Amino acid sequence: MTLVRPHPSVQGVITPLFTPFHEDGRLDTQGLGNLVRHLVRGGKVSSVFVRSGLGQMWLYSRDDFGAAVSTVVEAAEGHVSVFVGASGLWDGELAHRPDPQEYTDQSRDLARWSVRLGAHALVLMVPFMLAPEGPEGAPAQGVPEEVAAEVTATYLGAVAQETELPLLLYQAPSVPKDFCITPALLQELLKSQKQLVGMKLSSRRLEAFEGLLSVAKGTGFGLICGDEHVTMAAYQAGCCGIIGEGSDTYPALLAAIRERLLAGDEEGALRAQTAVLRCLEAVSGLDAAIVGKQLLQRQGVDLQPFGRNRPHPYSAETVTKLQQAQRAAFEYAGVASPYGDGSLGR
């Protein structure tokens, strides 16, 4: 099978980095650097994405941004590309809708700062939070498609003016239907924004990818799957990469899907996809970022397992059960386990 090969940095496994915090909520920059070095050593990641949704981007202050991005760039040492979430500062709650101009100005500021810090690409959320206000200041419901398209294009263009770095859009599951990127809008954006190289689409519905893939064909623009459940099918449909929670703890399993498809081994790719599904099932109902950091500790990564406004780390018994489940998944897929000699615990 021949897979899509767009901009090199949007191919393969792109890791939305967990953000390690100390128990008191301070950023654990040493742990973040250790995580990046661990991923680089593993050799299965093409890019790392700092200030992602999985990494609690909603709770980043401006100071957190600078500390995290500089730490990741330094730790990566040029071995992998560094994507930076440069959307404006916002808590993610529509009840606290940001001022559109302030949010856009913040995005432009973070874009300029990312360039100075050595980032390789910027990720911008589809700006549904900038929807025109409805009654009593609430975001308008049922925004006309042309209005949503204009808001998106204006926002993207404003940020693009601040940098020559490649840009990627992120369409999260929370994006209202009115603001979802349509094939027609993507076509227009690709004409007006030459820096736009990719987009993360978080959906399990393959039909959501089809129209966008038809527009992207032959342009160098890459559509990235944002849901590990359909990684294999998304590659087969024409996607070029995967951004998912398992990219931190089991990137080798996700990489095996693409590697095996490229080698024509669909059966092997299916085994790797099945292994990924087993890992996802094992953490169902748990906070993936918290327990993921605990699993990384079991892999020898020195980092703090806490989050901000998140559950306390899970018991050793819970983490051991998950570690066993992941080890079994690696064995099923025929991929080397990151848990060493088979001993459990630390």
Side-chain angles (χ1 to χ4, degrees), residues 172-195:
S174 57
V175 173
K177 182 179 179 181
D178 304 317
F179 268 83
C180 288
I181 303 298
T182 64
L185 177 55
L186 178 60
Q187 192 167 42
E188 290 304 311
L189 292 175
L190 290 176
K191 289 178 182 177
S192 62
Q193 302 298 336
K194 302 303 182 184
Q195 296 157 252

Side-chain angles (χ1 to χ4, degrees), residues 36-277:
V36 173
R37 285 184 282 270
H38 168 74
L39 292 167
V40 169
R41 285 194 300 269
K44 296 299 183 181
V45 170
S46 64
S47 304
V48 293
F49 172 16
V50 58
R51 194 173 176 253
S52 66
L54 189 68
Q56 292 199 271
M57 63 174 286
W58 315 115
L59 299 182
Y60 267 54
S61 67
R62 193 175 185 280
D63 287 343
D64 290 332
F65 178 91
V69 175
S70 59
T71 295
V72 171
V73 170
E74 181 179 356
E77 294 185 322
H79 296 296
V80 297
S81 296
V82 176
F83 293 2
V84 175
S87 298
L89 303 176
W90 178 46
D91 65 5
E93 298 291 336
L94 282 175
H96 310 142
R97 180 177 178 270
D99 175 79
Q101 189 59 56
E102 182 179 0
Y103 182 90
T104 301
D105 288 344
Q106 288 172 346
S107 298
R108 297 174 69 181
D109 171 50
L110 297 182
R112 291 190 295 267
W113 201 1
S114 298
V115 173
R116 295 196 298 271
L117 292 173
H120 300 104
L122 304 179
V123 182
L124 300 170
M125 288 198 64
V126 173
F128 65 96
M129 72 296 293
L130 304 185
E133 290 186 352
E136 300 179 357
Q141 300 298 313
V143 177
E145 183 178 306
E146 61 273 17
V147 173
E150 182 179 0
V151 170
T152 299
T154 300
Y155 171 71
L156 186 61
V159 179
Q161 290 177 357
E162 303 301 325
T163 175
E164 295 182 355
L165 290 180
L167 302 177
L168 296 94
L169 282 170
Y170 172 30
Q171 183 170 303
S174 57
V175 173
K177 182 179 179 181
D178 304 317
F179 268 83
C180 288
I181 303 298
T182 64
L185 177 55
L186 178 60
Q187 192 167 42
E188 290 304 311
L189 292 175
L190 290 176
K191 289 178 182 177
S192 62
Q193 302 298 336
K194 302 303 182 184
Q195 296 157 252
L196 187 61
V197 301
M199 171 177 156
K200 175 188 175 182
L201 176 57
S202 294
S203 177
R204 296 184 196 179
R205 298 186 306 106
L206 290 178
E207 57 267 29
F209 293 86
E210 292 172 356
L212 299 175
L213 286 166
S214 66
V215 170
K217 188 175 182 179
T219 66
F221 176 89
L223 197 59
I224 304 164
C225 177
D227 192 313
E228 295 172 43
H229 292 84
V230 294
T231 305
M232 180 175 173
Y235 276 135
Q236 291 173 318
C239 288
C240 60
I242 176 67
I243 298 178
E245 65 189 50
S247 307
D248 286 89
T249 56
Y250 48 83
L253 284 179
L254 290 165
I257 298 173
R258 184 172 187 269
E259 291 167 354
R260 292 172 181 181
L261 284 173
L262 284 170
D265 180 12
E266 289 197 21
E267 182 179 349
L270 182 57
R271 290 184 73 85
Q273 175 68 80
T274 301
V276 167
L277 294 178

Side-chain angles (χ1 to χ4, degrees), residues 300-316:
V301 182
D302 185 7
L303 81 175
Q304 294 295 317
F306 304 98
R308 285 179 178 161
N309 301 335
R310 290 293 182 95
H312 195 77
Y314 295 95
S315 68

